[in-house]
């Protein structure tokens, strides 16, 4: 049973690994362009393991920004992981402390989305399944980022190849996976508008957290499903 769960996790994560490979290669190329060595960029991919945050980090490194601002910017991008952790807490209560450590380390956007879907469908959320799903994404991410650093000069301008649109399209696909949820449209719309406004007036990467905060606030204010249904009137009892 454990082996079957692990194989199922590997199969589920394989598609994500293939889709994220261009981002990893792009990160490796950009890291070298910003003065990082192959060892440094590989260590960053292996320890930080967060595509958008790594992109933000190397851009700030290349501009000689102070260390505290780099940390604060990466925290702003990754703040959503605090929300992810809270949302999946009910599915991993049976995990050991060591298993929870690896769970949170491997927690990325598609991992979160797939775990929630699996739990809501009533399927068992086992650690061995989670590990298989995560490992098949993590290992290629580290290796392909190194490969991108080695062969970065052959990639050329990412915009010319259309690679700059891959990341937004990828996250849009994850968001649309929850389109059947109650209040999805207003929450997603408010998050998108708030993020666009924050990007214009505040700038990146803070627009990510501000857009998420706006969506969360609206979701908290909206009534729960079925909350507006009228209470059935008590019928008079016959004497």
């Amino acid at each position: 049973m454990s082996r079957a769960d692990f194989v199922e996790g590997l199969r589920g994560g394989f598609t994500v690994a293939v889709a994220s490979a261009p981002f990893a290669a792009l990160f490796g190329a950009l890291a070298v362009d910003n003065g990082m060595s192959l060892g440094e960029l590989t260590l960053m991919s292996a320890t930080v393991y967060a595509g958008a945050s790594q992109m933000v980090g190397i851009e700030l490194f290349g501009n000689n920004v102070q260390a505290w601002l780099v940390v604060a910017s990466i925290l702003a991008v990754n703040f959503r992981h605090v929300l992810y952790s809270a949302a999946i807490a009910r599915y991993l209560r049976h995990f050991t402390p060591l298993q929870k450590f690896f769970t949170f380390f491997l927690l990325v956007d598609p991992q979160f989305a797939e775990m929630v879907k699996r739990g809501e469908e009533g399927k068992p959320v086992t650690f061995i399944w989670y590990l298989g799903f995560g490992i098949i994404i993590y290992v290629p991410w580290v290796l392909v980022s190194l490969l991108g650093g080695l062969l970065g000069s052959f990639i050329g301008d990412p915009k010319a190849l259309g690679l700059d649109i891959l990341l937004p399209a990828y996250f849009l696909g994850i968001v649309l996976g929850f389109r059947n949820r109650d209040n999805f449209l207003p929450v997603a719309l408010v998050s998108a508008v708030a993020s666009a406004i924050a990007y214009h007036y505040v700038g990146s990467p803070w627009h990510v957290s501000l857009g998420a905060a706006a969506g969360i606030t609206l979701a908290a204010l909206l009534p729960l499903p079925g909350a507006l249904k009228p209470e059935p009137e008590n019928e008079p009892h016959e004497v």
Side-chain angles (χ1 to χ4, degrees):
M1 186 64 181
S2 296
R3 182 177 179 181
D5 285 351
F6 185 73
V7 172
E8 185 179 358
L10 291 176
R11 289 174 178 172
F14 178 76
T15 303
V16 180
V18 173
S20 62
F23 309 143
L26 181 60
F27 163 74
L30 292 176
V32 170
D33 286 342
N34 281 274
M36 296 184 72
S37 68
L38 294 177
E40 289 171 340
L41 73 88
T42 304
L43 181 63
M44 188 176 186
S45 283
T47 55
V48 177
Y49 184 46
S53 298
Q54 290 178 219
M55 297 292 188
V56 171
I58 58 174
E59 288 182 6
L60 295 176
F61 287 143
N63 292 324
N64 296 319
V65 176
Q66 294 182 3
W68 71 268
L69 185 57
V70 175
V71 174
S73 300
I74 292 177
L75 179 62
V77 175
N78 271 353
F79 182 77
R80 68 189 187 281
H81 286 257
V82 177
L83 308 176
Y84 287 171
S85 301
I88 66 174
R90 55 179 170 166
Y91 301 123
L92 49 84
R93 291 193 181 107
H94 57 289
F95 288 12
T96 66
L98 183 61
Q99 289 174 342
K100 289 179 181 179
F101 171 82
F102 286 107
T103 295
F104 293 130
F105 175 76
L106 294 172
L107 183 60
V108 290
D109 299 281
Q111 191 98 3
F112 162 77
E114 195 62 32
M115 189 176 192
V116 171
K117 288 180 182 178
R118 188 176 180 87
E120 291 181 344
E121 291 173 358
K123 297 179 180 178
V125 181
T126 62
F127 175 72
I128 195 67
W129 166 83
Y130 187 97
L131 183 64
F133 196 100
I135 286 294
I136 196 64
I137 303 172
Y138 174 75
V139 173
W141 174 267
V142 177
L143 296 179
V144 175
S145 63
L146 173 60
L147 186 63
L150 288 169
L151 305 176
S153 60
F154 296 98
I155 295 178
D157 184 8
K159 293 183 179 179
L161 299 176
L163 294 180
D164 58 322
I165 198 62
L166 289 177
L167 189 61
Y170 171 69
F171 279 108
L172 181 61
I174 293 178
V175 172
L176 290 177
F178 293 92
R179 62 187 178 277
N180 293 325
R181 284 189 163 214
D182 296 298
N183 300 325
F184 167 82
L185 186 58
V187 171
L189 183 60
V190 166
S191 295
V193 172
S195 181
I197 294 174
Y199 182 81
H200 180 73
Y201 289 102
V202 182
S204 177
W206 305 102
H207 68 293
V208 176
S209 296
L210 293 174
I216 293 169
T217 301
L218 178 63
L221 294 175
L222 290 174
L224 294 174
L228 298 179
K229 291 182 179 179
E231 294 281 344
E233 295 183 2
N234 293 327
E235 297 181 1
H237 294 284
E238 294 182 2
V239 179

